[in-house]
Amino acid sequence: IPYIFKAIKYFEANKKTIEAENLAYAYTAMGYVYAKQGRHKEAIATYKKVLVCYAEYDRSNYTDYQMGQTHSRMANSYMELKNYSEAVSHSEKALELAKPMNDKYLTVVDLCRIGLVKMEQSKFDEAEKIFNEALALQAPKGTEANEHAFISAYLSMAKLYFRKQDWTKAGFYAEK
């Protein structure tokens, strides 16, 4: 962690000669550490700095991907804080960036997050529709990250049916 702080300090002091992308990487690492430590408010504040850095960088599919990832991470931290409106807002921003790039991992993760919010709000039909949308994307074989996203989608569907007390369907999705 001290090295991340040193990197941030260095990049901030040399903004004119360093690409904003380097500062964004350092902020991303720091936000990730904060989130893993359960310090979600600090993670969110740091991720906002990441978005500022990418706004200063030339837009491309790469920066769109990084911005989508950042919005998704922010959504996760908002979800942990039970700030569901912000979680949905940032998941939707991540989806706007992920879908044109056909990024199934980010799309499935953020659809599931929105579905989980709907489930927390007892909007089970809306949650089910969103989970089905995520599952319809089909996991590409051979990529662990994508497979992880689809496992999460199946487990989200199992949780939904468990909450609805439909034990047969809950078991079906849990076994997938």
Side-chain angles (χ1 to χ4, degrees), residues 19 23-24 55 64 69 74 78 100 106 126 148 152 158:
E19 290 185 5
L23 183 55
D64 283 353
Q69 287 281 349
M74 287 176 72
Y78 278 119
L106 200 57
E126 289 179 50
H148 174 76
S152 294

Side-chain angles (χ1 to χ4, degrees), residues 13-176:
N14 296 288
K15 276 186 180 179
K16 293 182 181 178
T17 58
I18 304 272
E19 290 185 5
E21 181 181 23
N22 292 323
L23 183 55
Y25 282 146
Y27 281 139
T28 298
M30 194 71 248
Y32 181 79
V33 169
Y34 284 144
K36 285 295 182 184
Q37 293 175 337
R39 297 165 61 185
H40 294 287
K41 289 180 182 177
E42 290 148 306
I44 291 164
T46 305
Y47 290 141
K48 286 178 180 179
K49 292 178 182 180
V50 173
L51 294 174
V52 169
C53 290
Y54 283 123
E56 296 172 4
Y57 197 67
D58 291 331
R59 291 291 300 272
S60 66
N61 280 347
Y62 176 74
T63 53
D64 283 353
Y65 174 77
Q66 294 300 328
M67 289 173 65
Q69 287 281 349
T70 303
H71 280 294
S72 186
R73 289 181 180 116
M74 287 176 72
N76 192 58
S77 285
Y78 278 119
M79 187 83 171
E80 291 295 325
L81 294 171
K82 299 193 182 329
N83 184 337
Y84 298 130
S85 63
E86 286 296 322
V88 168
S89 174
H90 284 280
S91 285
E92 287 172 345
K93 289 175 184 174
L95 287 169
E96 287 174 25
L97 293 162
K99 285 184 176 180
M101 291 183 288
N102 199 28
D103 184 335
K104 289 186 179 186
Y105 172 78
L106 200 57
T107 301
V108 170
V109 165
D110 284 288
L111 283 171
C112 286
R113 187 174 297 112
I114 293 169
L116 288 170
V117 167
K118 298 298 182 189
M119 197 168 69
E120 285 297 315
Q121 297 169 332
S122 297
K123 297 178 181 177
F124 299 129
D125 291 341
E126 289 179 50
E128 183 175 16
K129 181 180 174 188
I130 292 167
F131 293 144
N132 278 323
E133 182 182 347
L135 289 170
L137 294 172
Q138 295 299 313
K141 298 294 179 197
T143 54
E144 186 177 326
N146 284 335
E147 290 171 5
H148 174 76
F150 282 91
I151 289 168
S152 294
Y154 282 115
L155 289 175
S156 295
M157 191 68 100
K159 287 178 193 177
L160 171 70
Y161 285 115
F162 182 83
R163 293 271 308 269
K164 291 174 78 171
Q165 299 183 354
D166 186 334
W167 314 122
T168 303
K169 286 184 179 179
F172 172 79
Y173 284 102
E175 290 176 1
K176 288 273 187 180

